[in-house]
Structure formats: structure tokens, C-alpha cells
Amino acid sequence: MRKQLSSTMPRVLILGIGNILWADEGFGVRTVEAFHQAYSVPDNVTILDGGTQGLYLVQFVAETHYLIVFDAIDYGLAAGTLKIIENDEVPKFTGAKKMSLHQTGFQEVLSAADLLGRYPAKLALIGCQPVELENWGGPLTEPVKAVIPEAIRKAVTVLKRWGIDVRVRSGGTVPSLLGNDLDFDHYERRAEPAAFDHLRRTP
């Protein structure tokens, strides 16, 4: 059940999109999963694995005042490069090149929200240049996996600039956004990289 929020409190959505079954195309989903594990957020903030749901995401975006999106984006840059695009520039990059036939472009979602008169007031896209998109069932490549902590830090910086209070989790077990079979550890069959350790505090 959604909590009643103050009319002056913006609704914030932190969204990861992509397909974990196609190597680096899973960057957005893995990053939002890692964000969820590392940070707690106030009641007006929703953290969502958007996967490849395409236009089904319109309902979530249309309820949102401030939106952060993690995604694999072909910027034409060096592999593993992160780049932040904000506000009016975002649609140019989400629609420039779909990463594969298995991922619906997010530009259509933004266009639909705009037609409904429910476009986010603030929007940030944190994209990563992929290395490998054709490896069915494969994990993230090392250059892309390595920048997930930095992508999370960039998101926290944006959220704080927007006046949103996020806090490092102090310990305890956090349920996976994806379910036990698809979370990072189980799906990729490896221990969580040490690169994520500094995102948490010990209990």
C-alpha cells in the first residue's frame, strides 16, 4: 500500500533498465540493485528494476516528479565510460540507438508521459558505454562492472542536489529487487566484488 505523502514532497523514482541476459545490457538493472543494497531512501523515493518492460513503465514515470535512470548507452566513448545527461538532453540519448532487439527504447516511455502531461520536472540519465551485448546469459564485463560504484555515487550526488536525503545502510539483510535466483551473486555465480565494500558501513 502506497503511503500518503505531503503534497509538497516530490515523488522520486530511481530506475534501472536493461536486460541482464545480454551481458552489459544489464548495467542499469545491476546498478539499481546495488544502489538498493547500499542505500536507504525516504518514503517519497521508489527504487525500481524496470528491466525491459518498455511502455509498462509509463505508469511509474507519470507518477514521478524527479527521475534518475541507469542504463547502458552507446555514447561512442571508451568502454566502461560513464556519462550523465540531464533534463531536455535525455531523450536524445535514450532514442539514439537501442542497445538490442531485446530492449525497448526508453524514449517512448518519456514521450508517452509527456503526452499525458506528466513529464518529470527533473530527469537524469546515468549511462555506461557497454563492451559486450551479444553474450547471451553472460555476466557484465569487467570494465562495466567496475564503474557501478561510481555510477551510484553520481546518483547520490544528483539526489542530494535535488534535496533528497539518502543514507548508507548500516548493516542487515536487504531483500533483492530481483529475487534470489537473479540477483548479482546467484546469477553471475561469484562473490560480490570488493569494489562494493566501501559503499557499506560495518554494523
Side-chain angles (χ1 to χ4, degrees), residues 11 14 23 39 43-44 71 82 85 90 95 118 127 133 142 197:
R11 291 192 184 277
I14 303 171
Y39 285 90
D43 292 339
N44 62 313
D71 195 9
L82 288 174
I85 306 296
V90 171
R118 306 283 293 278
L133 297 173
E142 290 301 323
D197 291 346

Side-chain angles (χ1 to χ4, degrees), residues 139-166:
L140 296 179
T141 60
E142 290 301 323
V144 170
K145 184 169 60 177
V147 298
I148 288 179
E150 179 62 22
I152 293 172
R153 286 193 291 270
K154 288 181 181 299
V156 170
T157 297
V158 171
L159 289 165
K160 290 184 176 180
R161 173 156 47 88
W162 290 349
I164 307 302
D165 182 32
V166 296

Side-chain angles (χ1 to χ4, degrees), residues 180-201:
N180 289 336
D181 291 335
L182 294 177
D183 68 9
F184 189 94
D185 291 351
H186 289 82
Y187 182 80
E188 304 207 6
R189 297 182 182 278
R190 66 188 67 185
E192 187 174 19
F196 292 106
D197 291 346
H198 69 283
L199 292 174
R200 296 182 175 81
R201 295 174 181 167

Side-chain angles (χ1 to χ4, degrees), residues 10-61:
R11 291 192 184 277
V12 182
L13 177 61
I14 303 171
L15 177 66
I17 56 178
N19 191 334
I20 63 171
L21 299 178
W22 287 98
D24 289 339
E25 196 176 301
F27 166 79
V29 174
R30 292 309 184 193
T31 304
V32 82
E33 177 189 21
F35 184 101
H36 171 66
Q37 293 289 325
Y39 285 90
S40 62
V41 296
D43 292 339
N44 62 313
V45 179
T46 298
I47 302 174
L48 180 65
D49 159 28
T52 57
Q53 295 182 61
L55 288 174
Y56 287 104
L57 295 173
V58 172
Q59 60 180 319
F60 298 100
V61 173

